[in-house]
Each structure stands twice: as structure tokens, then as C-alpha cells.
């Protein structure tokens, strides 16, 4: 196996694209907007590294944070509503725009690694201009219940020659042309499980989910909330997903409150952006200016729905009487974690409630949103090392 090797894992979550490239973690909103007809509107935009664009097949796209804020404009939001509604469903895997986004965010991970390797004297410097001298391995985490359906779709995208250009701030990469050497796929829940079961070197951890069966794995995402029983025989059973406990449902509830009070139409992804930035929404109540703390409003609803989630888990999993461990992963899972832990400490003290990534990653603290991508990355390394 070549010494010039890049292993890149990506979890294309609805709320963010998590990337692990040669031990380095990157989190960027997995959002894309075609601005081919709107480029002139960005002539006065402040230029910094968050202003990321992709040029592919003659079209220009916004990526990441700027693509999210693009939709805060009323007219743009109305024009793009139908596309965004599809992009926040599983149907997005079949959208041409998803293929562009996948290609672009993988390229962005490589772009970031170019800078990382240049600054670390212990790493061989990677240059995009020399990309064909390197072996590029890419792994993609997919929804557990639909992995067999979407592996062929995603694989068809990644088997093609990659050919695009990135513009990050003022830095233009030139054409990035390369062929991915090998691709890997695994389900998001299995990846979260692998991350907790093995350490950074692929060795079995003590007190892993395998040592505490039956276990319950909760993978809370933006669009869906998945729950899976890890049975005594180490099989995954009673798996299901639910939109009622996903973050989109919470944001929809907040959006409805904002829309009713202000008379302006708010959407789930607007709520997500406003809460993330701790912004208030102001409106006129008669002649008086009033404001709504979006993050605080969201927390009220989160606490309310967490109680319903706990009741649902009790109903579905025999009042949690046989469960020894609950592993909580994902950004939405992180939001529920304190409520689940508080409940179990009071009502089910025999259950270990574990937040994913508790042991960190590569000697550093690690946010649970990276649980899936870290597990996929470890899985890829174990497979590559076994084949060497």
C-alpha cells in the first residue's frame, strides 16, 4: 500500500457534514445552493474562509455556512422551498444536487488536509496539484434501514472521475481531477457502535456496548431519530426511526410559534440558524416592540418532547427493564442526553447512559456529533490494515 494515502470518511447528516480525513475532524453544514444566476449579488460579500464555492459542470454553488444563511432571505427561501423540502428527505440521495454536494464536500476535506499537512512537519505534505500521486480512500455512512438501497446510488457517484474546482475565500484551487481508489460504506448506527467498541488503534475497549447487553442505541439526527436494540446475541433488532423526536420536528414547532406571533413565515432551517446564533426575533405587538429568544423557545419544546421520547422508549422496550446501557449519539441525541440521563438516574439507576465519544478521538475531546464519522473512519482503517 502506498505511503501516500488519504483515508477520508464522511457522514452527510441533514444538519451537517462531518468529515474525518487522516485523523483530522471537520464539521461543516452539509448545505448547497446553486447561485449560477445570482453570482453578481455576491460582489460586495466579505471574503473569508467561510465563503466557499464550488464550480462543477459550468455551474457555481455555495457550500456550507453561507449556503445556510442564503435561505434567510424571504424571496430566495420562497424560490427554493421545493428543492429544500426534498433535500431534507431521503429522496435527496437521488438528486443531482446531492451528487455535486458529496463531490464538493469530499474535495473540501482534501483542501483542508492540504493546509493541515503543510503545517505539520511529521506529515508528508499533500498538494491538490499532486493529487494523482496519492491513493484516496473514501467512506460514506448511510441510514441503517436503507443502506442496501443507497449504496449502489452513492457508489455510482464516487466511481466517476472527480472533476471540480473550489474557491475558498480568495483562494482558487484550479481543477481538482482524480479517481477515488476504493470506497467503503456502513450504516450510521453500526459506525456509532464501532466508535464506542474500539479505541483509536482498533483495539477492543473495556466496558463497551458489547459488555453491556442488551443495550439501546439512540442516534438522533436532524430529520430522523433512530433507535436500535443491541441484543444479547450481538444482533441489532427492534430497529426503527421516527420523525416525531427529530430536531426538524422541534424546529417546526418553534417555526409555527414564530410565524403565529410575528405574522412572518418561518421555516425549520431558519429556526436552526437563528437558535445556533442565539438571535432573537423581533415583532410589533400593537405599537410595542417585543422579542422572542429562539434558542430558549426551542429548549422549552425540547424538554417537553424529551418526556414523550422517554415514554415512547419505555413502551417500545419493555419499560427498559432489560436494558443495561443506553448509548446516545448524534447532534439531536446530544440535545436529549441530559434529560435521558436524569430520568435513568432517578427511575432506572441500573442503566448506564453513555454519551458517544466520551473517550475522545486521537487524544482530544470529541463532540458526539462525530460518533458516526469516527466509527466509519476506524472501520476503514481496520479493513485497509487487514488487507495490507
Amino acid at each position: 500500500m502506498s505511503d501516500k494515502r488519504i483515508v477520508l470518511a464522511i457522514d452527510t447528516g441533514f444538519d451537517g457534514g462531518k468529515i474525518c480525513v487522516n485523523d483530522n475532524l471537520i464539521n461543516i453544514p452539509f448545505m448547497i445552493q446553486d447561485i449560477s444566476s445570482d453570482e453578481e449579488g455576491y460582489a460586495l460579500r466579505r471574503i473569508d474562509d467561510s465563503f466557499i464555492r464550488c464550480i462543477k459542470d459550468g455551474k457555481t454553488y455555495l457550500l456550507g455556512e453561507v449556503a445556510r444563511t442564503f435561505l434567510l432571505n424571504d424571496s430566495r427561501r420562497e424560490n427554493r422551498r421545493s428543492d429544500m423540502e426534498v433535500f431534507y428527505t431521503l429522496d435527496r440521495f437521488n438528486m443531482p444536487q446531492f451528487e455535486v454536494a458529496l463531490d464538493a464536500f469530499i474535495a473540501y476535506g482534501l483542501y483542508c488536509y492540504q493546509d493541515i499537512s503543510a503545517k505539520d512537519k511529521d506529515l508528508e505534505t499533500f498538494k491538490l496539484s499532486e493529487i494523482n500521486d496519492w491513493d484516496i480512500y473514501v467512506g460514506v455512512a448511510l441510514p441503517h434501514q436503507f443502506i442496501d438501497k443507497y449504496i449502489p446510488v452513492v457508489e455510482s457517484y464516487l466511481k466517476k472521475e472527480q472533476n471540480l474546482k473550489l474557491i475558498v475565500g480568495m483562494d482558487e484551487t484550479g481543477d481538482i481531477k482524480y479517481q477515488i481508489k476504493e470506497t467503503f460504506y456502513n450504516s450510521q448506527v453500526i459506525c456509532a457502535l464501532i466508535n464506542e467498541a474500539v479505541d483509536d488503534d482498533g483495539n477492543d475497549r473495556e466496558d463497551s456496548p458489547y459488555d453491556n447487553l442488551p443495550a439501546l442505541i439512540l442516534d438522533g439526527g436532524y430529520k430522523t431519530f433512530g433507535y436500535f436494540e443491541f441484543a444479547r446475541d450481538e444482533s441489532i433488532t427492534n430497529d426503527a426511526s421516527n420523525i416525531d423526536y427529530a430536531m426538524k420536528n422541534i424546529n417546526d414547532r418553534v417555526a409555527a410559534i414564530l410565524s403565529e406571533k410575528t405574522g412572518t413565515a418561518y421555516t425549520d432551517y431558519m429556526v436552526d440558524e437563528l437558535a445556533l446564533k442565539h438571535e432573537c426575533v423581533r415583532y410589533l405587538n400593537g405599537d410595542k416592540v417585543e422579542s422572542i429568544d429562539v434558542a430558549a423557545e426551542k429548549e422549552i419544546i425540547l424538554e417537553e418532547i424529551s418526556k414523550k421520547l422517554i415514554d415512547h422508549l419505555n413502551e417500545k422496550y419493555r419499560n427498559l427493564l432489560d436494558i443495561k446501557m443506553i448509548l446516545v449519539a448524534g447532534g439531536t441525541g446530544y440535545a436529549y442526553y441530559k434529560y435521558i440521563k436524569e430520568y435513568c438516574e432517578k427511575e432506572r439507576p441500573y442503566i448506564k447512559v453513555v454519551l458517544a465519544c466520551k473517550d475522545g478521538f486521537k487524544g482530544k475531546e470529541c463532540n458526539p456529533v462525530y460518533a458516526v464519522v469516527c466509527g466509519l473512519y476506524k472501520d476503514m482503517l481496520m479493513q485497509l490494515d487487514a488487507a495490507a
Side-chain angles (χ1 to χ4, degrees), residues 321-373:
L321 297 175
D322 299 327
I323 300 298
K324 296 180 180 179
M325 172 184 282
I326 297 177
L327 172 62
V328 183
T332 301
Y334 190 15
Y336 282 120
Y337 169 72
K338 64 180 179 181
Y339 298 111
I340 295 170
K341 184 174 176 61
E342 183 180 273
Y343 169 81
C344 287
E345 286 176 346
K346 183 179 179 181
E347 304 292 343
R348 303 288 190 272
Y350 49 85
I351 298 177
K352 296 179 181 180
V353 181
V354 177
L355 187 62
C357 298
K358 68 183 187 306
D359 296 315
F361 181 70
K362 300 297 178 181
K364 299 178 182 178
E365 289 187 11
C366 186
N367 191 297
V369 300
Y370 291 111
V372 170
V373 79

Side-chain angles (χ1 to χ4, degrees), residues 18-45:
K18 276 72 70 176
I19 301 169
C20 184
V21 52
N22 279 14
D23 297 353
N24 297 276
L25 296 172
I26 301 162
N27 190 3
I28 180 172
F30 193 78
M31 185 70 73
I32 184 169
Q33 294 292 337
D34 185 346
I35 59 164
S36 302
S37 59
D38 301 321
E39 288 187 76
E40 291 184 5
Y42 289 87
L44 298 178
R45 203 258 180 210

Side-chain angles (χ1 to χ4, degrees), residues 19-260:
I19 301 169
C20 184
V21 52
N22 279 14
D23 297 353
N24 297 276
L25 296 172
I26 301 162
N27 190 3
I28 180 172
F30 193 78
M31 185 70 73
I32 184 169
Q33 294 292 337
D34 185 346
I35 59 164
S36 302
S37 59
D38 301 321
E39 288 187 76
E40 291 184 5
Y42 289 87
L44 298 178
R45 203 258 180 210
R46 185 185 68 209
I47 300 296
D48 58 37
D49 288 348
S50 70
F51 188 31
I52 306 169
R53 288 145 289 168
C54 164
I55 298 174
K56 185 175 176 67
D57 298 330
K59 292 186 176 182
T60 302
Y61 301 86
L62 280 181
L63 303 177
E65 188 63 42
V66 178
R68 281 178 61 157
T69 56
F70 179 90
L71 289 169
L72 294 180
N73 177 279
D74 288 343
S75 62
R76 289 170 180 161
R77 184 170 65 255
E78 194 59 37
N79 290 337
R80 305 295 174 94
R81 181 184 297 275
S82 60
D83 283 347
M84 285 311 303
E85 287 175 352
V86 175
F87 204 73
Y88 273 101
T89 70
L90 290 170
D91 290 339
R92 70 193 190 136
F93 287 103
N94 295 308
M95 293 175 68
Q97 198 152 309
F98 179 84
E99 179 180 357
V100 176
L102 182 62
D103 294 348
F105 281 94
I106 290 170
Y108 180 70
L110 296 172
Y111 172 87
C112 292
Y113 186 67
Q114 178 178 250
D115 185 56
I116 291 166
S117 67
K119 293 177 179 177
D120 190 334
K121 62 179 179 14
D122 294 328
L123 297 176
E124 183 161 2
T125 301
F126 165 71
K127 295 180 181 179
L128 285 170
S129 60
E130 300 172 357
I131 193 169
N132 289 306
D133 295 335
W134 291 69
D135 290 335
I136 311 294
Y137 299 88
V138 173
V140 183
L142 296 169
H144 182 77
Q145 297 95 325
F146 304 99
I147 188 165
D148 291 335
K149 178 178 179 179
Y150 289 120
I151 282 178
V153 176
V154 176
E155 190 173 40
S156 70
Y157 301 151
L158 299 184
K159 279 187 172 180
K160 299 176 185 177
E161 181 187 49
Q162 303 295 295
N163 187 356
L164 52 86
K165 181 188 298 183
L166 292 180
I167 308 172
V168 183
M170 295 292 289
D171 186 20
E172 187 169 328
T173 63
D175 293 335
I176 305 173
K177 291 184 180 181
Y178 69 102
Q179 197 81 36
I180 295 170
K181 185 175 180 65
E182 189 175 352
T183 57
F184 299 79
Y185 307 92
N186 209 335
S187 85
Q188 292 165 334
V189 66
I190 295 294
C191 291
L193 181 58
I194 290 171
N195 188 52
E196 295 307 309
V198 302
D199 62 20
D200 296 338
D201 298 317
N203 301 313
D204 291 344
R205 281 192 173 124
E206 294 182 3
D207 203 28
S208 81
Y210 287 93
D211 301 316
N212 295 277
L213 300 179
L216 190 59
I217 304 168
L218 306 180
D219 183 18
Y222 188 82
K223 180 68 179 178
T224 60
F225 193 97
Y227 29 90
F228 312 82
E229 186 174 359
F230 194 29
R232 283 184 172 85
D233 62 0
E234 300 183 3
S235 64
I236 289 180
T237 183
N238 291 332
D239 58 307
S241 63
N242 192 305
I243 63 171
D244 294 341
Y245 311 111
M247 190 57 70
K248 184 181 186 302
N249 184 53
I250 294 169
N251 287 343
D252 282 339
R253 291 269 305 273
V254 179
I257 293 170
L258 297 180
S259 300
E260 182 181 358

